[in-house]
Amino acid sequence: MKSLPQPKKVWGFLIIHPKTIKANYVFWIPMKVQKLILAILILFGSCQSKEYDLVILNGTVYKGDGSPGQILDIGVSGDEISFIGKLENYKSKETIDASGLAVSPGFIDLHTHLEPILEMPLAESLIRQGVTLALGGPDGSGPLPLGEFLDSLEQMEIGPNLAYLVGHNSIRRKYLQNSDREPNEEELQQMIQEVDRAMKEGAFGISTGLKYLPGTFAKKDELIALSKAAAEHGGIYTSHLREEGIGLVEAVQEAIEISDEASIPVILTHHKAIGVKMWGASTKTLALVDSARKQGLDIKMDQYPYAASHTGISVLIPSWAMEGGNFEERVKNPSLRDSIKDGIIYSILNDRGGADLKRIQFSTVTWDRSLEGKTLHDWLIREGKNPSVENGADFVIQAQLNGGTGTIYHAMDEADVRRIMQHPMTMIASDGRLSRPGEGHPHPRAYGTFPRVLGFYTREEKVLDLPTAIYKMTGLSAQSLGLSDRGLIEEGMKADLCLFDPETIRDKSTFIDPHQYPEGILYVLVNGQFAVKEGEFLNKGFGKVIRKQATGR
């Protein structure tokens, strides 16, 4: 075989010629030829269209990390964001021109009352706000056994993605009912095992409702023991504090101590200062949060953007009077009734009553629907009674004996709301109950929380700038839950998205007329699928049950 001439020594790729392998001859491709081949390959590649299921063009993209918006294009493939940048050559099954719209990660509601989820699985009141992930089981009320409940949800068509906390009140009630006592060692170990089991089944942490039965009877050591069980699996602790009026500062200190002793991240849920005498106290509570964080503790807050709270009428009644479910028997005893009445008067003057019967508004009254939307003052006038605090206390007792009411308390100061909202560790959460038009008289937060922050507090009042407001609804919340695939607009993240008009977005729900959906939200995508399109709710569910991957034992 004739020898081939030796090639010149030039930089290039070593190519084995198939006909000369046996003779161990090789060829070198000169650099000029390489560049030509590379240019041809690039040209060929650029001619190939990238394909997406959905393309969003020209939107102002807020990534959810607090950074300013940028006009970018987004490509969605399946349930993921597969491209962010400027698209020039692509194919897409569907395209949205988002010019003039803000493109945000879907909002994460860290405090949602999902109790009606089996009746309202599509959760329209959340989806229409741009919420794509809701955290249920707040205030100590998580379902038990959690794993079985999540299994049942996975068999349903649900609107948003759903995650859950395990509830301390639910666990305590299982073993101690509503009794005012500490658990014995065996009971405490059983309660710890309940937390451990729930964490292994996917809970994101433990919630407490220390203003409610039976959580109000729990001592700090009990809470620390259960929180340690959650912390071992990487969980968080969220708390409706023991007090949000008189005693608020001490209640915040207790939560910080639990964080320290249990080595667990803490969220002071729906943080507020209730009652005229406590207005301005947020300066003290926020200072406590800052001090704890400087010591290395992970303390955050969530908040709804209203100067009114919502809970049952029983929150005005001393907890000892409700213990054991014996309220009716106690009010029959004249001396006990006087003590109960004195406690209610104190609550009206110093706590949620706001020192004014007109601040106590009924939302749900199953035994007299005509009272829904009316105030305690209205009720007394209707019955021909003098609207005094003393008479108001008697009517609170009557309401509880009738089965209780859902109640809105207009007892917060707007300055505290704004101060808490501006704190860098405050996230937005509704504390809303799933609602639908025609049922009850809910707090407007059930329909308007997120649009209210973006419209009223951001665009109109300038309390927040838009990147920060979105961060408080998305990236910071996802970070707090330990979510690695949601809450940000990045390639590879789940395509939970909200497209809204920053110039028109606003809440419409009011305390007088709550059943109103917001305006200005044009598109909501859950796992890459449209839940809201061109402003219309599509009545379809693409949410998934999100379980935390437990760590530790």
Side-chain angles (χ1 to χ4, degrees):
M1 183 177 188
K2 186 178 180 180
S3 300
L4 293 174
Q6 295 297 312
K8 295 180 180 179
K9 292 183 178 179
V10 294
W11 293 106
F13 293 116
L14 182 65
I15 304 296
I16 299 176
H17 194 285
K19 294 184 178 180
T20 60
I21 290 177
K22 291 183 179 179
N24 296 319
Y25 288 111
V26 297
F27 290 101
W28 290 88
I29 298 178
M31 182 61 72
K32 289 182 179 179
V33 177
Q34 288 183 57
K35 289 181 178 179
L36 178 60
I37 294 172
L38 184 60
I40 293 171
L41 290 173
I42 292 174
L43 179 62
F44 178 78
S46 67
C47 293
Q48 301 300 302
S49 297
K50 297 179 180 178
E51 296 187 6
Y52 304 98
D53 292 314
L54 171 67
V55 163
I56 302 169
L57 299 175
N58 306 316
T60 304
V61 176
Y62 294 88
K63 294 188 175 181
D65 58 3
S67 61
Q70 296 178 274
I71 297 179
L72 297 170
D73 303 329
I74 295 176
V76 174
S77 301
D79 65 351
E80 291 188 354
I81 298 168
S82 54
F83 178 85
I84 304 172
K86 295 304 293 182
L87 283 166
E88 294 181 355
N89 189 32
Y90 66 91
K91 291 181 180 179
S92 178
K93 296 176 182 176
E94 191 157 7
T95 301
I96 296 173
D97 183 357
S99 299
L101 299 182
V103 183
S104 163
F107 307 139
I108 297 173
D109 192 342
L110 283 179
H111 184 132
T112 321
H113 286 276
L114 294 171
E115 290 84 351
I117 190 65
L118 299 181
E119 292 77 44
M120 305 180 196
L122 298 184
E124 184 175 0
S125 58
L126 283 176
I127 291 289
R128 280 183 175 268
Q129 293 186 62
V131 173
T132 58
L133 191 154
L135 181 65
D139 301 330
S141 65
L144 285 180
L146 181 61
E148 292 181 14
F149 180 77
L150 297 182
D151 290 344
S152 67
L153 282 183
E154 286 180 331
Q155 306 305 311
M156 301 176 63
E157 180 181 337
I158 54 177
N161 299 301
L162 299 178
Y164 274 83
L165 300 164
V166 60
H168 165 250
N169 284 1
S170 301
I171 292 173
R172 194 175 214 274
R173 188 175 293 112
K174 178 176 178 178
Y175 293 97
L176 304 179
Q177 290 75 51
N178 281 341
S179 58
D180 181 5
R181 67 176 180 85
E182 296 182 45
N184 59 40
E185 185 58 33
E186 180 182 357
E187 290 166 334
L188 182 61
Q189 289 304 314
Q190 290 174 322
M191 293 165 71
I192 290 172
Q193 289 170 10
E194 288 281 359
V195 175
D196 185 69
R197 174 185 174 187
M199 294 300 300
K200 291 176 180 177
E201 291 170 341
F204 277 79
I206 184 171
S207 74
T208 63
L210 303 181
K211 185 67 174 177
Y212 305 124
L213 269 63
T216 187
F217 302 131
K219 301 294 190 294
K220 185 173 66 176
D221 287 347
E222 174 186 324
L223 302 173
I224 290 171
L226 299 185
S227 296
K228 284 182 176 179
E232 287 182 4
H233 296 290
I236 62 174
Y237 172 95
T238 79
S239 182
H240 179 125
L241 299 172
R242 204 174 290 276
E243 294 292 345
E244 295 180 317
I246 304 297
L248 168 64
V249 173
E250 294 78 9
V252 171
Q253 289 174 327
E254 179 185 47
I256 291 172
E257 290 168 6
I258 291 169
S259 175
D260 187 23
E261 293 292 327
S263 299
I264 193 168
V266 163
I267 297 175
L268 311 177
T269 200
H270 51 48
H271 191 48
K272 64 176 78 73
I274 283 281
V276 176
K277 291 186 177 181
M278 292 304 294
W279 287 359
S282 60
T283 56
K284 297 178 181 179
T285 62
L286 297 179
L288 286 173
V289 170
D290 290 337
S291 177
R293 291 188 63 83
K294 286 179 181 177
Q295 296 172 29
L297 300 179
D298 186 354
I299 312 293
K300 298 188 184 78
M301 298 156 284
D302 67 51
Q303 178 201 38
Y304 50 80
Y306 299 88
S309 64
H310 183 277
T311 188
I313 195 75
S314 62
V315 78
L316 297 173
I317 301 171
S319 57
W320 63 263
M322 305 290 291
E323 191 263 341
N326 297 320
F327 177 72
E328 186 172 355
E329 294 179 16
R330 292 188 177 101
V331 294
K332 290 178 181 177
N333 182 314
S335 60
L336 289 181
R337 183 185 177 99
D338 286 345
S339 296
I340 292 170
K341 183 174 177 178
D342 287 344
I344 295 171
I345 291 171
Y346 179 86
S347 294
I348 291 174
L349 294 176
N350 299 289
D351 202 87
R352 293 191 185 249
D356 187 349
L357 301 187
K358 293 179 181 178
R359 293 180 178 271
I360 303 172
Q361 181 186 15
F362 301 117
S363 60
T364 305
V365 187
T366 57
W367 43 270
D368 187 349
R369 295 292 186 186
S370 68
L371 285 175
E372 293 180 348
K374 302 296 193 301
T375 67
L376 183 54
H377 178 276
D378 296 332
W379 188 19
L380 285 162
I381 294 297
R382 190 187 78 175
E383 300 300 319
K385 301 290 186 180
N386 176 35
S388 65
V389 173
E390 291 75 16
N391 284 340
D394 283 329
F395 272 47
V396 168
I397 292 173
Q398 182 179 331
Q400 185 61 33
L401 290 173
N402 288 344
T405 72
T407 314
I408 298 168
Y409 299 94
H410 300 264
M412 296 152 61
D413 182 39
E414 180 67 20
D416 283 313
V417 173
R418 295 176 182 229
R419 187 179 297 117
I420 292 169
M421 187 179 293
Q422 289 178 321
H423 192 279
M425 289 297 109
T426 297
M427 298 163 284
I428 305 303
S430 73
D431 192 16
R433 181 180 174 88
L434 289 182
S435 299
R436 56 188 169 198
E439 295 186 9
H441 191 96
H443 191 298
R445 65 194 181 191
Y447 288 94
T449 291
F450 295 88
R452 181 171 176 80
V453 171
L454 295 170
F456 180 71
Y457 282 104
T458 298
R459 181 183 63 245
E460 297 178 16
E461 296 296 308
K462 314 297 183 188
V463 174
L464 302 172
D465 60 47
L466 189 54
T468 301
I470 290 173
Y471 172 59
K472 288 173 173 287
M473 302 173 176
T474 58
L476 185 57
S477 302
Q479 173 190 325
S480 299
L481 291 178
L483 297 172
S484 59
D485 60 350
R486 299 177 195 272
L488 296 172
I489 295 181
E490 293 180 352
E491 292 180 8
M493 302 291 279
K494 296 298 182 184
D496 293 343
L497 299 169
C498 177
L499 282 67
F500 64 91
D501 186 339
E503 299 301 320
T504 64
I505 188 170
R506 70 184 184 102
D507 62 308
K508 296 178 65 179
S509 179
T510 68
F511 289 103
I512 301 300
D513 186 9
H515 291 294
Q516 298 188 74
Y517 294 114
E519 292 181 348
I521 295 178
L522 283 301
Y523 299 91
V524 178
L525 281 86
V526 180
N527 295 310
Q529 302 292 325
F530 287 107
V532 171
K533 188 174 185 180
E534 298 179 355
E536 296 297 323
F537 181 69
L538 299 186
N539 208 38
K540 296 179 180 179
F542 302 101
K544 296 180 179 179
V545 174
I546 309 297
R547 302 185 193 231
K548 181 175 178 60
Q549 298 301 308
T551 59
R553 60 178 184 173

